[in-house]
Amino acid sequence: MVRILEKKYKITLKNTIKHFNTINKHRWLVLKLCFRAGVPWRGIVHDLSKYSPTEFWGSVKYYQGGRRSPIPIQKEIEGFSKVWLHHRAKNKHHSAYWYDERAPIKAPIIPYKYAIEMVCDKISASIVYTGKDWTNETELKYWREKEREIEPINENIKKFFDDVFMQLSKEGINKTITKKNLKEIYNRHCNID
């Protein structure tokens, strides 16, 4: 069965171009949000690993039309995702980067600049994958229904995300994604300047 499913997925020129455009669209949105949030460098270097051969070609092979990540499909077919293992190891804006099941503190508080990049990344991915169906409530709903309970993440950071995405759902991007506002919410939950 795996071989039958795997034959369905292959690298094509069409998917190469479309995936390249999806990456660029996502990175452009993250860049704009990171500038608004006061962490411009995080936006500039965001997801550069997606252009590496491991991540790029694996994602092209399992490309999902730009409407969802190719990573779950690769996991389903191959049993794991080389793309995801590479990506999380290279990018500090993913909770898995900060999780160590053998450490006394398994999920430490993620430093401010990476927590903000995570917020911008999640919002951007939500916008890219849902397209014109995106609303201010989309990320809050996704966070609460699909991520909050399973993310290997510090409880204080979870509360930070809850507050940010709740505010986003009520007040929109322009009021939520500002340096002052995000710093205030982060400090309230993480007690770090």
Side-chain angles (χ1 to χ4, degrees):
M1 172 122 177
V2 170
R3 288 183 181 241
I4 293 169
L5 286 175
E6 196 163 1
K7 286 182 182 177
K8 176 179 162 186
Y9 295 101
K10 57 186 174 187
I11 294 172
T12 65
L13 179 60
K14 181 178 175 182
N15 285 355
T16 301
I17 293 167
K18 286 184 172 190
H19 178 63
F20 184 75
N21 289 338
T22 300
I23 293 172
N24 290 339
K25 182 177 180 181
H26 170 69
R27 288 192 67 241
W28 176 247
L29 288 171
V30 172
L31 177 71
K32 291 193 307 188
L33 292 172
C34 282
F35 267 80
R36 286 188 54 77
V39 290
W41 184 249
R42 298 311 320 151
I44 291 168
V45 299
H46 179 79
D47 277 353
L48 288 176
S49 69
K50 286 190 175 186
Y51 301 106
S52 70
T54 299
E55 291 185 39
F56 188 80
W57 296 115
S59 295
V60 168
K61 181 177 180 180
Y62 296 107
Y63 182 70
Q64 297 297 299
R67 299 297 281 171
R68 74 182 264 229
S69 171
I71 291 169
I73 301 301
Q74 186 179 36
K75 287 180 181 179
E76 183 181 318
I77 291 171
E78 297 182 18
F80 71 102
S81 172
K82 288 180 188 176
V83 171
W84 174 239
L85 292 174
H86 188 272
H87 191 71
R88 77 178 199 182
K90 301 290 182 191
N91 294 281
K92 295 179 181 180
H93 67 273
H94 286 287
S95 59
Y97 182 94
W98 298 97
Y99 184 76
D100 182 353
E101 66 183 35
R102 294 184 180 178
I105 300 173
K106 294 176 181 9
I109 292 176
I110 297 168
Y112 176 76
K113 63 185 176 182
Y114 303 117
I116 298 307
E117 185 181 358
M118 285 175 78
V119 165
C120 297
D121 181 46
K122 287 177 180 294
I123 294 169
S124 174
S126 175
I127 291 170
V128 169
Y129 288 142
T130 58
K132 59 185 169 206
D133 295 329
W134 189 85
T135 67
N136 289 338
E137 295 82 26
T138 302
E139 187 52 40
L140 177 65
K141 184 177 180 195
Y142 188 83
W143 165 250
R144 289 197 170 159
E145 291 177 7
K146 304 219 176 189
E147 291 184 317
R148 181 170 62 178
E149 300 308 318
I150 63 166
E151 279 281 315
I153 199 166
N154 183 282
E155 287 302 315
N156 293 52
I157 295 294
K158 284 184 181 184
K159 291 174 187 171
F160 165 70
F161 285 154
D162 270 340
D163 274 6
V164 170
F165 298 143
M166 177 63 80
Q167 186 180 47
L168 174 66
S169 75
K170 292 178 180 175
E171 299 182 27
I173 288 176
N174 290 337
K175 287 190 177 180
T176 304
I177 307 300
T178 69
K179 181 179 180 177
K180 181 180 178 194
N181 185 54
L182 292 172
K183 189 73 163 169
E184 206 173 89
I185 298 170
Y186 183 86
N187 285 341
R188 183 176 15 191
H189 293 293
C190 301
N191 269 342
I192 296 172
D193 249 351

